[in-house]
Amino acid sequence: MRDMTDFIRSIRKIVLDAVNAQKLTTVVYGIVESVNPLKVRIDQRLILEAEHLVLTRAVKDYTTEIQISSGARQPCTIYNALKVNDKVTMIRQHGGQQYLIIDKEVA
């Protein structure tokens, strides 16, 4: 019975080590180098191009509706688009091929 318990512990450790080694997601920080085309630098040697970046609403301009005091709804544009030198927070998706820009630092 003890041999079986040790065997199960060993298997669990191997599985956990393998999962941890895959780095399913990682939080990454970068700086916007250009906006058209979009490029984000994450370290001195690596610049991510637009095809590797996915943007959330938090870093894009968009139009929505707001309700004013009279109760009427009115369109309103939110200006959140990225600008050169913005510091961004990203999540690197499994495999490192796509990065989701989730927000930017507000100065």
Side-chain angles (χ1 to χ4, degrees), residues 23 42 48-49 53:
K23 295 184 179 179
I42 60 172
L48 302 172
E49 308 261 338
L53 300 168

Side-chain angles (χ1 to χ4, degrees), residues 38 49-56 59-60 90 93 98-102:
L38 182 58
E49 308 261 338
E51 61 267 14
H52 300 287
L53 300 168
V54 178
L55 307 179
T56 62
V59 294
K60 294 168 58 174
M90 301 177 283
Q93 296 176 356
Q98 292 288 309
Y99 292 76
L100 176 66
I101 301 178
I102 57 173

Side-chain angles (χ1 to χ4, degrees), residues 57-91:
R57 183 183 262 193
V59 294
K60 294 168 58 174
D61 292 344
Y62 65 94
T63 300
T64 188
E65 283 189 350
I66 60 170
Q67 187 171 351
I68 56 178
S69 58
S70 68
R73 291 181 172 234
Q74 180 174 342
C76 174
T77 301
I78 308 298
Y79 297 99
N80 279 343
L82 294 171
K83 297 173 186 64
V84 172
N85 292 324
D86 277 350
K87 295 177 182 177
V88 294
T89 303
M90 301 177 283
I91 297 175

Side-chain angles (χ1 to χ4, degrees), residues 15-35:
V15 169
L16 287 173
D17 289 347
V19 168
N20 290 334
Q22 288 185 11
K23 295 184 179 179
L24 299 176
T25 60
T26 305
V27 175
V28 179
Y29 302 95
I31 297 175
V32 176
E33 291 282 312
S34 77
V35 292

